[in-house]
Amino acid sequence: MKRPTLDDVAAVAKVSPKTVSNVLRGRPLASPATQERVWQAVAAVGYRVNRAGRALAGGGSGRIAVIVPNLHQPYYAENAERLILALAAQGLTSTLRIAPDAAAEREAVFGGTTADADGVIVCPHHVNAGLLGDRAPDRPVVQFGSLPTGLLDTVVMGEREGFSAVTRHLLDTGRRRLALVWNATSSGRPDGRRFEGFEEALAEHGLEPDPALMVAGSDWDWRAPGFEAMTGLLASGARFDAVLCINDSVAVGALRALRAGGVRVPDDVALTGFDDTDEAEFTVPPLTTVSPEHEAMVDAAVRMMVERLGGEAGPPRVHRTGAHLIPRASSGVPR
Amino acid sequence: MKRPTLDDVAAVAKVSPKTVSNVLRGRPLASPATQERVWQAVAAVGYRVNRAGRALAGGGSGRIAVIVPNLHQPYYAENAERLILALAAQGLTSTLRIAPDAAAEREAVFGGTTADADGVIVCPHHVNAGLLGDRAPDRPVVQFGSLPTGLLDTVVMGEREGFSAVTRHLLDTGRRRLALVWNATSSGRPDGRRFEGFEEALAEHGLEPDPALMVAGSDWDWRAPGFEAMTGLLASGARFDAVLCINDSVAVGALRALRAGGVRVPDDVALTGFDDTDEAEFTVPPLTTVSPEHEAMVDAAVRMMVERLGGEAGPPRVHRTGAHLIPRASSGVPR
DNA sequence: GGCAGGCACTTCAGCGTTGTCAATAGAAAG
DNA sequence: CTTTCTATTGACAACGCTGAAGTGCCTGCC
C-alpha cells in the first residue's frame, strides 16, 4: 500500500532507477523503446514523483510562489487565479503567498517562507519597484503588473495608453471637467503611467488636469477609500462631469458615494474604472473600464518564468501588453 | 553562501544534528541549557529548516492544501484569504489549489497534485458532500462550509438560522410576497438548510413558499446566473415585494436585473444576499446580508486541522457556527 | 585488427532531515 | 567502590530522487 517509487518503476521496466528518472524528466538519453517501457511501467504501478525527494536531490520542486498582497481585492484574486491556472497548465504547481505588508512581500520574494519554490511571480503592492530590485534573488522572479525595475523580468500593462483611452473616450463624448480619484503616493500627488495617459489625452484637447478635481484615497486599490475620496470631492463643492478612477474597486466605492450624494451616473457624471475586474460588469450602471489584456499578461509572465527555469540567461526583460477600452453604461452620453 | 543546514547549527552548538532536530521540533528531550544553546546557534547561523529534507525523512511538509473552486467569486477568494492567513499564524504554510471541476476537486482532496500536503481544507463546490466522503483520505481533511458527511471533520455555517433570520427580517418589515433566487440542484427544486430556514420563518407567519416565485440560476454562486434568473422572474410577470438570494453574488446579479427592469430597491422590492462578502457593502443600495461568522468558521477549521495533525484521533467532528443578520439599505422599509 | 568515439544505460554518492536504537554520563542505590 | 538506573546525547541508516561519473557494447575508420 506504500506509494510506488522510482525503484518500483525501474523493477517493472527492467532498467535502473536513474533511467526512469531521465525518461520522466524528458531527457533524450534513453532509446524510444526504453522510454515506452518506462512509461508503461509508470502507468502500471501508478507512480507519481515524490516532490520532496526530487527537491532534495536538486531537481527543483516544480513549485512557483505566487505572491499577492491579499485576495479580497478582486484585482488580485482574479490575477492569482489566472496565474495559478496558467502555471498548472505548464505542469507547475503553485503556492500562493499573501503578503499583507512590505516586510512580508520582500521576505516572500527573497526566500524565507517561499524558499521551496523554484521561482516567484509577484504582484507587488507595498514595496515599490526599486526596493524589490535592490537585491539579487537566487531564482527567477517575475514582477507582474508593476513598473519595470530593470533588474527583474517584468510584465507591465498598457497603463498609459489605457488611461489615455478612457480619458479620450470621455472627452469624445462631451465631458470636459474630469475628476480623478487616485491613490495616495508618498509625493502626495498622482503620478505614474496612468497619469501620463490622462495628461496626454487632455492635452490633445488643449486641456490640463485640474488639481482641484484630483483626490486621493487613503490606500491603493480599495473600495472604501474610493468612497471616502469621492465623498470628500463632493463635499468640496467642486464641479465635474466625469470621474476617472484609478481602478475598478475605487470606482465601486466612488459610485456609491455619487449615488449617496444624489448624483446620477452617467446622466450627471460619467464614471470609469480600470482593470476590467468581474465586479465592473455588475455595478449599476455597469462600469466603463479598461482591460489590461489579462490573458496576454499571464501568458507572458508564465512564459518568462518557464524560460528562466529552463536556464535561459540574459538581462531582465520587460513585456508590455496593450490595453483597450471597455465602454459600458457608466460613461454613457449625458442626456 | 550555501544555506545553513542542521549540521552547521550542530557544529556551532556543539551537539549532534539530531539534538538540534529534536529541539526544533519541540521535543522535550534536551536539557534546558542545551536547548538554549541550540536556539542561539540557529539564530547565529541563520538556519531555516529545509522542508524537502524534513518531508523526505517523514517529518511532514508543514503544508496544508487549501482547495477552492475558483478565486473570482468573492466568497471563495475571501475565505481562501482568511484560511491562508490563519494557517500562517499557526506556522503552517499553505498551497492553494483551484479545482475548476469535480474531478479536480476529488483529485486535490485525495492526493495526486496535493500529495505533499500534510492536510487538506476544502471548500467543496462541485462534488457533493457524500461523494467527497466515500473514500478514506490518508491525512486530515476538513470540509469548510458544506454539509457534514459524517466522514470528515466539517465546519458548517448557520445556514438555516441565517436564512430564517433574513426571512423574518423581511416579514417583520412588512414584506409578504417573497421571491427566492436559488441555485439549480439536481432535483430541480431548492433544498438544503437555507431553504428550511426560509420555510420555517414563513411558517411562523402562516405563509409558505410560492413556487411561482422561486427561480434558479444555472450555477451556484455567481453573478450572471443571478441576473438571468431575476430577469426571467421579472419577465414571468410574477408579483413580489422582496427577493432573497442564495448568496451575495447572486444578489448582485439580481440587483442589476431589477434596476434594468425599472424596479426600485428597496422601495418596490427588498433584496437580500448571504455570506457577507465585501462586495455587499458597496452595492447601491448596500446589500442586506447574513454573516456566517467567518472568524469563527476559520478558527474552527484551523483548530481542527492542528488537532488532527497533532495526532488527535476520534470520529469526524462537526463544528457549527452561528449566523447573524446584517441589515442594510437594500431591505429598507418601503416608502 | 586495433582503437577512438558514441550510444544506452548504470553505479555511486549524496541532498537535509528524522526515527531507531545505542552510548555515555552522572546520580542513586547497594 | 561497584552496580543499576535515568537523563541526555550521538551514530547510523534510511526517505526518494538526481548529478556526475562511469561501464559496456557497437560502429566505423585507418
Side-chain angles (χ1 to χ4, degrees):
Chain A
M1 227 25 233
K2 199 170 60 63
R3 186 169 157 173
T5 72
L6 273 190
D7 289 330
D8 300 323
V9 177
V12 172
K14 303 213 189 303
V15 291
S16 75
K18 180 59 199 178
T19 295
V20 178
S21 167
N22 286 147
V23 172
L24 258 54
R25 301 300 296 265
R27 299 245 200 307
L29 299 171
S31 69
T34 304
Q35 292 188 29
E36 176 60 20
R37 213 144 30 90
V38 167
W39 283 117
Q40 300 219 342
V42 164
V45 304
Y47 173 79
R48 304 207 53 140
V49 42
N50 179 320
R51 299 286 189 167
R54 176 176 287 183
L56 230 209
S61 64
R63 190 175 292 121
I64 302 297
V66 174
I67 306 173
V68 293
N70 61 62
L71 286 179
H72 60 262
Q73 293 177 206
Y75 172 74
Y76 291 115
E78 291 170 24
N79 276 328
E81 174 172 306
R82 282 186 283 259
L83 285 168
I84 289 171
L85 291 175
L87 287 167
Q90 296 292 316
L92 293 165
T93 57
S94 34
T95 169
L96 184 77
R97 196 93 350 162
I98 295 176
D101 55 49
E105 195 166 296
R106 288 181 60 82
E107 214 253 344
V109 171
F110 292 109
T113 52
T114 60
D116 58 343
D118 293 344
V120 176
I121 298 182
V122 55
C123 303
H125 173 110
H126 308 286
V127 175
N128 72 43
L131 277 175
L132 268 185
D134 69 348
R135 209 182 341 161
D138 53 355
R139 52 186 169 178
V141 174
V142 174
Q143 284 193 123
F144 188 85
S146 60
L147 288 176
T149 57
L151 294 164
L152 299 172
D153 282 345
T154 308
V155 178
V156 292
M157 55 172 85
E159 303 204 58
R160 179 184 179 131
E161 66 199 271
F163 223 84
S164 70
V166 239
T167 308
R168 214 170 278 123
H169 163 68
L170 291 169
L171 292 168
D172 289 348
T173 51
R175 313 284 178 171
R176 280 298 173 276
R177 300 190 53 77
L178 311 189
L180 217 49
V181 181
W182 215 254
N183 60 302
T185 62
S186 51
S187 63
R189 65 176 284 278
D191 55 8
R193 310 278 299 170
R194 299 190 194 189
F195 188 64
E196 289 173 22
F198 181 56
E199 282 182 311
E200 175 183 294
L202 280 175
E204 291 168 9
H205 285 252
L207 299 171
E208 52 185 48
D210 179 349
L213 294 180
M214 303 193 319
V215 286
S218 56
D219 192 7
W220 175 274
D221 210 353
W222 194 215
R223 297 174 184 125
F227 177 79
E228 289 156 17
M230 193 69 235
T231 302
L233 185 60
L234 287 171
S236 78
R239 305 204 38 186
F240 49 90
D241 55 11
V243 179
L244 294 89
C245 296
I246 183 68
N247 64 41
D248 290 348
S249 288
V250 164
V252 165
L255 175 59
R256 182 174 152 197
L258 288 167
R259 297 293 303 270
V263 178
R264 291 172 307 166
V265 176
D267 307 64
D268 301 328
V269 164
L271 181 70
T272 65
F274 201 102
D275 286 344
D276 189 28
T277 51
D278 286 349
E279 66 179 340
E281 192 179 345
F282 282 90
T283 56
V284 180
L287 186 67
T288 291
T289 187
V290 173
S291 167
E293 299 176 352
H294 301 295
E295 293 296 316
M297 289 182 69
V298 168
D299 287 352
V302 172
R303 190 169 36 71
M304 279 181 176
M305 178 55 67
V306 169
E307 285 170 7
R308 293 294 188 193
L309 289 176
E312 180 139 338
R317 292 169 298 178
V318 176
H319 183 97
R320 298 180 187 281
T321 63
H324 60 269
L325 183 74
I326 300 197
R328 297 208 182 95
S330 74
S331 63
V333 178
R335 287 174 203 156
Chain B
M1 227 28 232
K2 200 170 60 63
R3 186 169 155 173
T5 71
L6 274 189
D7 290 331
D8 300 323
V9 178
V12 172
K14 303 210 189 305
V15 292
S16 75
K18 179 60 198 172
T19 296
V20 178
S21 167
N22 286 147
V23 172
L24 257 54
R25 301 302 296 265
R27 300 245 200 306
L29 298 170
S31 67
T34 305
Q35 293 188 27
E36 175 60 19
R37 210 142 33 87
V38 167
W39 284 117
Q40 300 220 342
V42 164
V45 304
Y47 173 78
R48 304 205 54 139
V49 44
N50 179 321
R51 299 283 189 172
R54 175 176 287 182
L56 230 210
S61 64
R63 190 175 290 122
I64 302 298
V66 174
I67 306 172
V68 293
N70 62 63
L71 287 178
H72 61 261
Q73 293 177 207
Y75 172 74
Y76 291 115
E78 291 170 24
N79 275 328
E81 174 174 306
R82 283 185 282 259
L83 285 168
I84 290 172
L85 291 175
L87 286 168
Q90 297 291 317
L92 293 165
T93 57
S94 34
T95 169
L96 184 76
R97 195 94 349 163
I98 296 175
D101 55 50
E105 194 166 297
R106 287 180 61 81
E107 215 253 344
V109 171
F110 291 109
T113 53
T114 59
D116 58 343
D118 293 345
V120 177
I121 297 181
V122 55
C123 303
H125 173 111
H126 309 287
V127 175
N128 71 42
L131 278 175
L132 268 185
D134 69 348
R135 209 185 339 163
D138 53 355
R139 53 187 167 176
V141 174
V142 174
Q143 284 192 124
F144 188 86
S146 60
L147 288 175
T149 57
L151 293 163
L152 299 172
D153 283 345
T154 307
V155 178
V156 292
M157 56 173 84
E159 304 205 55
R160 178 183 179 132
E161 66 199 270
F163 223 84
S164 72
V166 239
T167 308
R168 215 170 278 123
H169 164 67
L170 291 169
L171 292 167
D172 289 349
T173 50
R175 313 284 177 170
R176 280 297 173 277
R177 300 191 53 77
L178 311 189
L180 218 48
V181 181
W182 217 254
N183 61 303
T185 62
S186 50
S187 62
R189 66 175 281 279
D191 54 9
R193 310 278 301 171
R194 298 189 196 188
F195 188 65
E196 290 173 23
F198 181 57
E199 282 182 310
E200 177 183 294
L202 280 176
E204 291 168 9
H205 285 250
L207 300 171
E208 52 186 48
D210 178 349
L213 294 180
M214 302 191 324
V215 287
S218 56
D219 192 6
W220 175 275
D221 210 352
W222 193 216
R223 297 175 184 123
F227 177 80
E228 289 155 16
M230 193 69 235
T231 302
L233 184 60
L234 286 171
S236 77
R239 305 204 36 184
F240 50 89
D241 55 11
V243 179
L244 295 89
C245 296
I246 184 68
N247 63 44
D248 290 347
S249 289
V250 164
V252 165
L255 175 58
R256 182 174 151 199
L258 287 166
R259 297 294 302 270
V263 178
R264 291 172 305 167
V265 176
D267 307 65
D268 301 328
V269 165
L271 181 70
T272 65
F274 201 102
D275 286 343
D276 189 27
T277 52
D278 286 349
E279 66 180 340
E281 193 178 345
F282 281 91
T283 55
V284 179
L287 186 67
T288 291
T289 187
V290 173
S291 167
E293 298 175 354
H294 301 296
E295 293 295 317
M297 289 182 70
V298 168
D299 287 351
V302 172
R303 189 168 37 70
M304 279 181 174
M305 177 55 66
V306 168
E307 285 171 7
R308 292 294 188 195
L309 289 176
E312 179 139 338
R317 292 169 298 177
V318 176
H319 183 97
R320 296 178 189 282
T321 62
H324 60 269
L325 183 73
I326 300 197
R328 297 207 183 94
S330 75
S331 64
V333 178
R335 286 175 205 156

